Amino acid sequence: MSFVTAEIDSGLATLSREAADAADFGIVKVDDEGKIELYNKYEAELAGVTPAAAEGRNFFTEIAPCTNNKLFHGRFKSGVEADELDTEFNYTFTYKLRPTNVAIRLKRDKESKSNWVFVKKK
């Protein structure tokens, strides 16, 4: 069962910054190359990176380089290429923080052609 609420899951095409910031999990919207378009408050606090510092930068190589591997970035790239991405897995963030166990959901919203990384600390 996903930690992403049904309200957010079904409204990705029109998700506002306010709604994203109110969520009790990390929400990162990225383009097909991984450039961050939205970085919510939960994720900023978890990672210690402000939205202003994260947005416009590459999630996989600049903000969370510990995700730039086959397990995480590889799944993302394959899903974007196939235009079919909706997967969940457990992961351990190691960049800039003590090892932090999280649940990850990667999703591509076909309606808006947007990509999402959802993060929930375990």
Side-chain angles (χ1 to χ4, degrees):
M1 186 70 178
S2 179
F3 57 88
V4 179
T5 62
E7 181 180 50
I8 288 188
D9 198 39
S10 65
L12 292 174
T14 57
L15 183 68
S16 69
R17 179 173 298 278
E18 293 74 27
D21 282 343
D24 67 345
F25 52 90
I27 300 176
V28 184
K29 179 182 181 184
V30 296
D31 69 9
D32 289 354
E33 304 305 314
K35 185 174 88 174
I36 299 170
E37 298 176 344
L38 183 143
Y39 196 80
N40 82 332
K41 181 180 173 188
Y42 179 103
E43 187 63 20
E45 291 172 358
L46 178 66
V49 178
T50 66
E55 291 170 357
R57 297 176 69 195
N58 188 285
F59 178 80
F60 301 103
T61 60
E62 296 179 278
I63 299 301
C66 65
T67 65
N68 193 17
N69 56 47
K70 187 175 183 176
L71 177 65
F72 200 124
H73 194 196
R75 284 183 187 180
F76 173 82
K77 287 193 297 189
S78 294
V80 167
E81 288 171 14
D83 195 29
E84 192 66 47
L85 179 63
D86 193 357
T87 186
E88 293 188 40
F89 55 96
N90 293 320
Y91 198 75
T92 303
F93 282 134
T94 56
Y95 181 68
K96 283 192 177 180
L97 12 130
R98 292 187 311 272
T100 303
N101 294 325
V102 294
I104 299 291
R105 181 170 182 212
L106 301 177
K107 179 164 183 171
R108 181 167 176 85
D109 180 58
K110 289 186 177 187
E111 179 184 341
S112 62
K113 295 291 185 199
S114 58
N115 306 298
W116 301 84
V117 179
F118 301 106
V119 180
K120 179 74 172 179
K121 188 173 178 182
K122 295 184 105 185

